[in-house]
Amino acid sequence: MASETDLLNENIGEYVNDDYKIVTCKWLSLTHSININEAKRALYAFVKHQRKMGGNDDINVTYFVAGLGRSKDGDLMHKCAVVPESELDVVKKSLSTLTSCHIFSVQKAKLKDYTPLYMTDYEITKNNLEKCNSFSSIKCPWVSLKSANPPSRTSQQNVVKPENKENAPSKKTESSNELVGSGAKVSGKKAEPKGSIASMFASASKKDDGGNKAAKPTQKTEAAPKDKVPEKKGGVMAFFEKKKDSPSNKKDTDVKKTDATTKKPESKTVQEKKQEPKRKKKQTVDSDDEAPDKKRRKRIRTDLFDSSDGEDAEASGNEDQDEDLINWQPVVYDCLLTTTTWLYPHIASAAKQAKPSCRDGPQVNNKARGRRGTLLLRLVSTCTRIDFTVTVVGHLVTAGHLIYVEEAEDNPAAPSKEEEERDEIKADNEEKEKEKEVSIASSNNSASSGKKRKRTKKVVTKHYQDEEGFMVTKKETVWESETDDEGEATTSKQEPAKTRGTKEAVGKASTKNTATKAEPKGKAAPKKNSSPQKSKQTSLMSFFKKK
Amino acid sequence: MIYSATPLVENVQSFMTTDTPANVTSNLNRVASQVQYKNDRFIVKDRSFNRQFAHLYAERLMTMRKRLTKAATEKWGSTPIRKLHELVNDERCIVIGTVFKHMELRPNILKEVSEEHNLMPQPVRSRYTDTKDKLIIEDELQRIFVVGDLKCETSVTGVVVAVLGKEPEDDKGKFHVEDYCYQQLPPQVPRPLLEQDKFILFVSGFELGGREERPFQMQLLADLICGQLGDMDQQEATAAICHVVVAGNSLSESTQDRDTLTKAKYLSKKTSAGSVEAVKTLDEFLAQLVTSVDVTILPGEFDPTNFSLPQQPFHQCMLPVSSRYNTLHRQTNPCDLTVEGLRIMGTAGQPVEDIYRFSEMEDRLAMLENTLVWGHTAPTAPDTLACYPFVKEDPFILSECPHIYFAGCQQEYKSKIFKGASGQEVLLLTVPRFSQSGTAVLVNLKSLEAQPISFYSHFPIVDESVSPEVDK
């Protein structure tokens, strides 16, 4: 017993002193699965211990006080309040009878108002909605989930619900996420995060649900019904799920490795996935993510115009092009992303996936950026340079060597230059190599989708945000690799048909020179092999997948 | 300890010691209770709006006439009861009919639409009463002006009343009232004697999605009810709360965006209604509560349900998480439920608000009392309060005397025990808006005592200019 309390004490110490967390009694009880009253005791013990030790008494404590008092009109009223330590005595005096007084939270920071307390409890409750009262002091024995009633509507979403209900016992945090997800479904996918933090969490949980579900195929721990949900989700979400499939898988594994505790990984990965689909979704919609991208793109844009001319002028296979590879890569990315953003949605998505959730900290941010700089740009460049370039890039990223091999096929002189480039870039992004590779590999996996990657020209309406922040919807002929929902094999069959069909569309306005350029080249370039991994959609990851 | 005027509490601050840990893991069980709902008459099954409201009035008059006849004969003996078309001049008689209050300032759709008047649309006022208002009494065939004892200020349209008086020869067309009476309060089923104290918590007006929402206080409320907060004794007292009634306006007025109909589609394509987020928040809040206690939720004026009374319950798709629990009861507004044998009836406050608008009374509790006396929960429906055109019956007529009669979303908490003529005891209750007051109401079912309980947080304003003290 003593050791348990000591351990708890230590943990609380860590949370408060090292992590600068706000530890409320409810948060502690749910995180450590202890009775709420135990948590209150533990907090008190910690505070006492901390203060006895002296020295750093910079922890702030808030108390929950309740009792009988008088209202403004003089009537008897039961009052319940959360107050910081400084106000404790004042409030206690105002109550004629004190019925409760215990520690509500312990934190290092001095709180100006209740908002951080609320957010802490909100988060932890949201993640554990089903069992948020399982450690409370009052139990309600007759609470039960209703038996599944098949809903009258036949939509897929509703069909999922009864199955979810049937799996009630197996649900824990999963189910809480699930319920949140179903709530999200019901509440409307178009519900956008509003200004309030709560809505941000609401949307995050929605995304979380989407992300959670997307990751299910990879996670064995998830319950079976959830697998069905991704398929059943609306078109938009499905689009994102597929898109982020493999990159997210890689990310999952990464994240899973890094997490130490058992419970946390779940919630963390959930959170991360939350962020991923969030990012993805936000790509199509106004997103803050795009702002930094925009800036990057903006900067790059000028380069694009500089170098693209040069690029266009040179014939393919020119050694100089490789030098330009570095220069105009960003430009191409920019160009592609801003003008025909959704041509290579998966580039963008891959890049964005690279963008870490806030939990990862600054490090990953850099990685992401670097990744974006290298990964995406290369992707783009390759896209514009037909298949072989893509494959080059892909291999560049993954193996770091194969690119040269590939390049050699078309451009014997290139390898050396490529190597130079690569070294340069490697030097720049040393630390990010691994992640890059991983992510790119994953993106490759999804992007290449295993088969002869055929790009077919399609007329697609793209929605994106240009540099002024306006939502632009454009109908563009777009090169999309045929890696839609079905596996590689099926799509490869479809591709020939599609390419035939879409060739006529070639004549339509294309906003990228590169696209037209790529088209003739695309035919000549060697096709990509199918990737064994899961991407099912037109993900640029397929470019990398090619082995 | 129980929630009362004199809680006997021991072991306060028992979590603020590090003495030998007593068994702090209290195993309190929520107090069980029998709950039945009698809201069938409020559930609108076929929504046919082809009928006129005359049927509703006719039904009301027919039903009330019987009761009023009884009440009148008891009060005034053998005075003849006359229909208006049978009136004889200067004969002292009793007339039973529906009150109609003629108000000039009352928003009249005909006036608005009529072009020959060239009237500007009438401004929205908090009150539409005027000194020149007149009272008219109508029965099946005729109507007649009423002067005398029946005061205009305290009457509203739609109340069925029996008046004693006469139509004088010299003042034809006006009925001079000497006395009046309403239906007798129906007999009340005696309140069952409970062994232990059980409580119901009434709360209303969360107004989520608005500027005034109080999420932290709501969280405190949920935590307290679920037993997370409080010392051992308080938790024990909270375990005695067997039911929670959320009486309307869980969503804020601002979530009702009327512009969506008029706004251009291209502007509103990506925006979602404010109520979507708010309902989700409500669902999560309720999900916490339903894992611990029975919850009855009534829709209010700003909630996503139909506008006209009786408002239909929240649809379960709006509350997907919490609807899966058997402890969530989505009910109509007005609501008629029985908990542990006690009849509880109430609304989300719209009828009271409407009476306020069309009368000169100030005290909401008095208005609530009047509805009880008049025997009709929402007398101004369908005149100024939107109502479904019932045909077979008027469901708002009080046929049974409740033990607790509440109105939600009011300005302040007020409670009163109303004593009826036949020994009935009704607890009248106005439940304040939580977004304004942070207050809920606890009612003890054993003793019919009401006590408000408020939640707040008090953080002093940090003085930025003072530099933080450096320890050592």
Side-chain angles (χ1 to χ4, degrees), chain A residues 25-26 29 35-38 40-41 44-45 48 54-55 57-58 62-64 66 68 73 76-84 86-87 91-92 94 97-104 111-114 117-118 121-122 125-126 129-130 132-133 136-146 153 161 164-165 171 179-180 182-184 186-187 190-192 194 199 202 205 285, chain B residues 1 3-7 9 12-22 24-33 215-217 219-220 223-232 234-235 238-239 270 272-274 276-277 280 284 287-288 290-294 317-318 320-321 323-328 330 412 439 451-460 462 464 471-472:
Chain A
C25 50
K26 190 169 172 190
S29 134
N35 184 270
I36 185 77
N37 295 339
E38 293 280 354
K40 292 172 195 165
R41 276 271 175 104
Y44 180 75
K48 192 165 171 190
D57 180 22
D58 52 354
T62 59
Y63 292 86
F64 173 78
L68 213 56
D73 303 329
L76 272 181
M77 185 158 81
H78 208 99
K79 292 187 183 184
C80 306
V82 168
V83 292
S86 50
E87 302 292 312
V91 174
K92 269 188 182 174
S94 75
T97 318
L98 186 69
T99 55
S100 300
C101 179
H102 62 79
I103 294 185
F104 186 77
L111 297 175
K112 291 202 190 110
D113 67 358
Y114 57 75
L117 297 173
Y118 173 65
D121 275 347
Y122 180 86
T125 311
K126 208 172 167 70
L129 212 51
E130 283 234 327
C132 61
N133 287 321
S136 120
S137 58
I138 302 178
K139 304 267 190 289
C140 193
W142 63 86
V143 171
S144 66
L145 291 161
K146 285 189 195 161
R153 275 174 294 166
K161 252 188 165 185
N164 292 344
K165 286 180 191 173
K171 293 183 203 164
L179 293 174
V180 165
S182 54
V186 173
S187 59
K190 55 178 182 147
E192 283 203 341
K194 295 240 170 122
S199 62
S205 73
V285 185
Chain B
M1 178 201 134
Y3 286 106
S4 67
T6 52
V9 64
V12 188
Q13 305 197 109
S14 54
F15 301 129
M16 305 255 286
T17 77
T18 44
D19 302 338
T20 49
V24 293
T25 315
S26 50
N27 288 317
L28 295 163
N29 273 341
R30 178 74 59 190
V31 157
S33 62
F216 185 61
Q217 284 87 337
Q219 189 62 47
L220 283 184
D223 283 342
L224 182 76
I225 297 174
C226 298
Q228 307 266 6
L229 294 176
D231 282 336
M232 310 265 294
Q234 178 128 29
Q235 286 170 351
T238 316
K270 298 279 182 179
S272 63
V276 171
E277 290 296 331
K280 194 156 190 303
E284 279 153 18
Q288 290 178 57
V290 292
T291 51
S292 184
V293 71
D294 280 283
C317 289
M318 265 188 264
V321 178
S323 291
R324 297 176 51 218
Y325 289 90
N326 60 338
T327 42
L328 180 76
R330 297 164 286 107
E412 51 179 355
T439 310
Q451 187 178 81
I453 177 165
S454 76
F455 300 88
Y456 64 101
S457 68
H458 185 62
F459 281 84
V462 175
E464 300 279 305
D471 272 345
K472 299 194 179 166

Side-chain angles (χ1 to χ4, degrees), chain A residues 395-413:
Chain A
H395 292 287
L396 174 74
V397 177
T398 49
H401 300 294
L402 292 176
I403 184 174
Y404 314 131
V405 176
E406 290 289 356
E407 276 278 330
E409 288 173 4
D410 298 297
N411 190 356

